[in-house]
Every structure is written in structure tokens, then in C-alpha cells.
Amino acid sequence: MNILVTGGAGYIGSHTCIALLNAGYSVIIADNFTNCNRETVNKIVDITKKKLHFHEVDVTNERSINEIFKRYKLDGVMHFAGHKAIGESLEKPLNYYYNNVVSTLVLAKACLKYNVNRFIFSSSATVYGDNKTPFVETMTLLPTTNPYGETKAMSERILVDIANANPQLQISILRYFNPVGAHESGLIGETPNGIPNNLMPYVTQVAKGKLKRLKVFGNDYATVDGTGVRDYIHVLDLADGHVAAFQNTSSGARIFNLGTGKGTSVLELINAFEKANGIKIPYEITNRRSGDIASCYADVSKAKRELDWEAKRDIVSMCKDSWRFEQNLKENTF
Ligand code: UD1
């Protein structure tokens, strides 16, 4: 079966390409390499020892996307491509709305035109806003605090409406919690641009000595130790979740949380990292980061029930694999 993977050279997309190739699927990557490294495509091939096709295209370019649909007999699409930096989305909202929403529209239109029925969409737990934990798929979504989050909520809504009007479509909307970790080979992982915004990449850069100390954004939340609680999920589990979603489709648009169902505080994560890797992480407590919520973790029962999938890897392997990848990174890739 042929699967088009947009953003297949990115962090989650590349790990999913590996899972798809290992499961016997043919993979066609569409990526414009704006926020990732083209070397990743070769690394996917090195890791899996399998061939793949890739096209350097912008997914908002309808003509290029139609060419790909014409050229391959596609059985499905996984749409990862998108801008994802919260801060940047506040500075460049037009870019975010245009890129993230138009790419979804272009792909949905091509799916209808070329009779490709299976569609998997990368969404985010950010669409829940400040709901009460654990987050359940049926909750009313609350406004997010940034354009990035809004593009995810909008794309979800668009896909649900399109699926309702076209019952042949089988759409899975996957709401990711906090992906961390890297492939066990240490060859691919997350490579944020500049100073990382997310916790795990910041921790690994402190461990490496590239950053001096971690700032813990607030210790006065109503959580186990006052620091923010998140549902960290190993990127390899997330990748397997996509394969499960592709294999367990049904008519209409279905929404699934992909997380572990377990919350970990910032201090617990630091502690787990120190224990797993035997490295001290210097930190200081600072003010809360604006837009942050106290707690975010998933109710994962729907994915388990309907996709027969659940996350298997624990926080120790997340910390070890993140650190292995960071150690392998050459300085000039920062
Ligand atoms: C962030 C985004 C979210 C996005 C997700 C992708 C914000 C407000 N939210 O989620 O929309 O889907 O990334 O992975 O940016 N922390 C520190 N010090 C740091 C960095 C983070 O204490 O240097 C804390 C945060 O306050 C939070 C936790 O660590 O409690 C996790 O933060 P982060 O990795 O940025 O993820 P989210 O905020 O959950």
C-alpha cells in the first residue's frame, strides 16, 4: 500500500515513516525541508534498509500535490507538515493560518478528486485549552492562546465536516500529547531551531553543557509539586499509533488522544533524566510562562479500545533515547 507522508522528514513524521516501512508499507514523502534536515530522508533509509520516494514540495501548492496523487496510486495520506512554534505563530499569524489550514484543504480536495479515502491528521492536545484533566475526546474544545493551536482546531473542524459530507472518507484525527525521545539508533530525533521552547530538548542541551541551567516555569500550580504536569509520550509509541490508526479505519472522522495517560511534573522529569543518564541538571525556579496550563494528560481509553494501541515506553527510555540523540548531534547542526 502506498502512503503519502507530508512532513515525513520532520520529527514525528520521520519516526512514523520508519514504522510504516517496517510494517511493509510504501512511503512517499512530501516535504519542503523548511524546518528539518534533508539528511533525515537518508537516515530513514539507513535505519530501515528500505527504499522510499520523496518530493520536495510545499503542501499548499495544489498543482504539485495533484501531480503526486496522479503519479502514485495512493491508499492513504498522513498529514504531518505544518508550522508548530507557538511564539512564532503569534508573530506571523497569517503564515500559520495559511500554511496549516491551506495544506489540509489542498490534501482533502486531492483525496476526494483521486478517491483516496484514508486520511490521518496530526493534531495536538493544545486544542483542549484549559479543560479539566484527564482530557477526553468528547470534551468541548476551549480556545487556545495562540494561532498555532487555532490552526489545529480549525483543521479538525474542516475534516469533520468534509467526512460528514463524504461518507467514503475514513479520517483519523490524532491529538498528540507531549512527544519526546528519539529513535533508539540515535540517528534521528528532534532538532529544534535556536533555543528550545519545549522542556525535553532544553534539558538535553543543559545536560550537554550547551545551555547553563534550566528555568522551571513556576512552582505554584495546583499539581503534585507545584510544577507543570504533562503527558510525555515516546515518539516511537506515537509512530506506532499512526500505523494502528491507519490499520483500524472506519467511515467518518474519528478523534483519538495519543498519550500515555500518565502525568509527569517538570521536577519529576528532571529527576527521571538525572537517574536515567547519571547527569545532574542544574535548574532554577522562575515565573510561570504565559499561556501555560497547570496540567495536561490524556484519557487514553478510546485509542486502546478502538485502535488496539497503547504507549509502551516509560519515562526512563524517553530520557535515555533523547539524551543518546543529543550526544550524537554535531555542534554545527544546532
Ligand atoms: C507546548 C505548547 C503546545 C504544543 C507542545 C508541543 C506552549 C504554551 N504549548 O506544550 O501547544 O502542542 O508544546 O510539544 O508552548 N517548561 C519549563 N521550562 C522550559 C520549558 C518548559 O519549566 O524551559 C515546563 C512548561 O511550563 C510545562 C512543561 O515544562 O509545564 C512542558 O512544556 P513544553 O515542553 O513547552 O510543552 P507544553 O507547554 O505542554
Side-chain angles (χ1 to χ4, degrees):
M1 283 181 129
N2 292 332
I3 306 183
L4 173 64
V5 183
T6 76
Y11 175 43
I12 303 169
S14 58
H15 289 85
T16 304
C17 287
I18 292 173
L20 288 170
L21 289 164
N22 285 339
Y25 294 101
S26 295
V27 166
I28 300 106
I29 292 179
D31 206 306
N32 63 3
F33 301 112
T34 49
N35 193 21
C36 57
N37 194 332
R38 37 189 82 249
E39 253 309 292
T40 302
V41 175
N42 297 331
K43 289 182 183 167
I44 296 170
V45 173
D46 287 349
I47 290 167
T48 59
K49 312 264 178 281
K50 298 199 169 135
K51 284 193 183 132
L52 56 76
H53 301 274
F54 81 92
H55 293 269
E56 184 167 352
V57 293
D58 190 313
V59 187
T60 60
N61 185 327
E62 193 170 358
R63 189 178 297 175
S64 310
I65 290 299
N66 281 342
E67 285 301 320
I68 294 177
F69 274 74
K70 261 186 246 164
R71 177 158 168 189
Y72 301 94
K73 212 203 126 341
L74 296 178
D75 297 284
V77 174
M78 294 198 181
H79 181 30
F80 294 93
H83 294 330
K84 60 171 188 182
I86 311 282
E88 189 184 53
S89 81
L90 289 160
E91 286 158 27
K92 301 175 183 168
L94 179 62
N95 280 4
Y96 271 68
Y97 284 110
Y98 188 84
N99 187 66
N100 290 5
V101 178
V102 174
S103 59
T104 306
L105 292 171
V106 164
L107 288 169
K109 200 170 158 192
C111 282
L112 289 175
K113 186 168 173 187
Y114 295 98
N115 297 313
V116 178
N117 293 331
R118 294 196 208 183
F119 192 100
I120 310 270
F121 178 67
S122 298
S123 190
S124 164
T126 200
V127 298
Y128 288 109
D130 202 0
N131 260 298
K132 200 174 169 305
T133 45
F135 296 158
V136 187
E137 289 89 344
T138 47
M139 278 174 165
T140 303
L141 302 185
L142 296 180
T144 63
T145 49
N146 56 78
Y148 159 74
E150 291 306 308
T151 67
K152 291 296 174 190
M154 265 180 206
S155 298
E156 284 198 3
R157 179 61 206 269
I158 289 167
L159 291 171
V160 168
D161 286 344
I162 294 174
N164 286 341
N166 299 277
Q168 76 277 21
L169 292 180
Q170 302 171 358
I171 298 180
S172 298
I173 292 165
L174 306 180
R175 291 181 180 155
Y176 309 152
F177 281 69
N178 288 56
V180 295
H183 190 263
E184 57 262 342
S185 63
L187 289 176
I188 61 167
E190 190 176 15
T191 47
N193 283 333
I195 296 179
N197 292 312
N198 295 119
L199 180 61
M200 185 65 97
Y202 206 108
V203 167
T204 58
Q205 292 196 17
V206 170
K208 206 174 186 182
K210 185 166 189 289
L211 296 168
K212 222 168 147 200
R213 75 168 64 81
L214 173 72
K215 292 190 179 80
V216 175
F217 298 142
N219 66 349
D220 56 352
Y221 287 105
T223 61
V224 57
D225 55 22
T227 65
V229 164
R230 297 291 183 271
D231 185 341
Y232 298 96
I233 173 168
H234 198 298
V235 67
L236 293 175
D237 280 327
L238 201 54
D240 291 341
H242 287 74
V243 178
F246 193 80
Q247 291 171 343
N248 292 278
T249 54
S250 69
S251 174
R254 295 191 302 167
I255 299 176
F256 296 101
N257 286 340
L258 296 188
T260 62
K262 194 179 170 310
T264 303
S265 75
V266 178
L267 295 182
E268 285 170 342
L269 188 129
I270 296 171
N271 196 23
F273 189 94
E274 292 183 337
K275 271 205 185 130
N277 298 313
I279 299 171
K280 211 83 203 118
I281 302 295
Y283 69 87
E284 62 182 320
I285 309 287
T286 65
N287 290 336
R288 291 179 176 194
R289 178 172 65 182
S290 115
D292 270 359
I293 56 174
S295 217
C296 167
Y297 58 92
D299 178 318
V300 290
S301 51
K302 187 176 177 193
K304 189 171 180 190
R305 197 171 58 241
E306 296 188 26
L307 301 179
D308 193 24
W309 169 88
E310 64 185 322
K312 297 192 183 76
R313 294 160 178 91
D314 62 8
I315 198 83
V316 174
S317 57
M318 297 182 214
C319 292
K320 282 190 171 163
D321 292 344
S322 295
W323 176 229
R324 185 184 305 112
F325 176 68
E326 181 74 56
Q327 286 172 293
N328 282 350
L329 273 180
K330 293 191 199 83
E331 275 317 304
N332 61 11
T333 59
F334 285 122

